[in-house]
Amino acid sequence: MITKLFLIIISAVIVNNFVLTRFLGICPFLGVSRKTDTAVGMGLAVIFVITMSSAMTFLIYEYILAPFNLAYLKTIVFILVIAAFVQTVEIILKKTNIVLYQALGIFLPLITTNCIVLAVAILNIDQHYNLLESVVFGFGAASGFALALVIMSGIRERLEFAEVPKELQGIPIALILAGLLSIAFFGFQNLVKF
């Protein structure tokens, strides 16, 4: 069991990184990766939201949707659960850490529409994970997102002091960097098989 959990987390963080190999969550990835402080804060918020929503959506599916033959509603229900949970996190952050709340700006509500959050919830069900495996997979997927975000922000901060041609400044160079990081992460593709 411990081996399977370890493989799930390594697979989610490195081998099947949602941003760099599955190309999900690109909007917040490019938007928040300008500064490392903001990237770390967003990464932690995403880790918290995805891990908790993995547990909540699993429980809702297993104890409400599946027993009452309402599995076809999982996408809509998961979206509502995730949106409500993110709004709760936003309210808590606004009251407890106003600096992080202001630094995240528009990207905090975007966690609601971050396709990684919904993808993890649906993949947990589709891969027939139990509660523990769902939480571990959610934590791993979110950690992989945070890792990619922090790596990208570190590179983009260093690019501020580099001589980048005017035509490539901003999003164009960020997309080139994302492509290069993606190629690097594809090198791990056959690391984990189960």
Side-chain angles (χ1 to χ4, degrees):
M1 181 67 173
I2 292 176
T3 304
K4 185 175 181 183
L5 294 176
F6 179 74
L7 291 176
I8 288 171
I9 201 163
I10 292 299
S11 174
V13 173
I14 297 172
V15 178
N16 295 312
N17 186 291
F18 275 79
V19 176
L20 299 174
T21 63
R22 294 184 185 205
F23 308 113
L24 296 172
I26 299 297
C27 178
F29 174 69
L30 293 175
V32 183
S33 64
R34 289 187 198 118
K35 300 282 182 206
T36 303
D37 295 343
T38 308
V40 169
M42 178 67 154
L44 291 173
V46 168
I47 288 171
F48 178 71
V49 167
I50 292 179
T51 303
M52 296 304 292
S53 66
S54 293
M56 289 187 301
T57 54
F58 174 84
L59 293 171
I60 288 170
Y61 183 83
E62 283 295 313
Y63 296 108
I64 297 172
L65 298 180
F68 294 105
N69 294 323
L70 298 172
Y72 62 91
L73 292 175
K74 72 179 175 187
T75 303
I76 294 170
V77 170
F78 289 178
I79 289 170
L80 293 173
V81 168
I82 291 164
F85 184 66
V86 170
Q87 289 300 315
T88 305
V89 170
E90 185 176 3
I91 290 168
I92 292 169
L93 266 181
K94 190 174 184 178
K95 292 185 184 234
T96 61
N97 193 343
I98 193 71
V99 175
L100 180 59
Y101 175 78
Q102 289 172 340
L104 292 175
I106 188 67
F107 295 103
L108 187 59
L110 282 180
I111 293 176
T112 304
T113 59
N114 187 342
C115 52
I116 294 174
V117 184
L118 182 60
V120 168
I122 291 173
L123 284 172
N124 282 333
I125 302 305
D126 291 347
Q127 294 175 350
H128 305 290
Y129 286 153
N130 62 32
L131 179 60
L132 180 59
E133 292 168 345
S134 295
V135 170
V136 167
F137 180 68
F139 177 78
S143 297
F145 175 80
L147 174 68
L149 196 60
V150 169
I151 290 171
M152 184 69 155
S153 68
I155 295 170
R156 286 182 76 179
E157 279 186 351
R158 295 205 49 183
L159 276 178
E160 289 180 15
F161 302 107
E163 293 182 25
V164 177
K166 184 179 179 184
E167 296 79 16
L168 294 178
Q169 291 177 357
I171 295 296
I173 194 69
L175 290 171
I176 292 169
L177 289 171
L180 292 172
L181 282 172
S182 180
I183 290 169
F185 271 70
F186 269 115
F188 298 114
Q189 208 58 39
N190 291 320
L191 182 67
V192 175
K193 291 187 182 205
F194 54 113

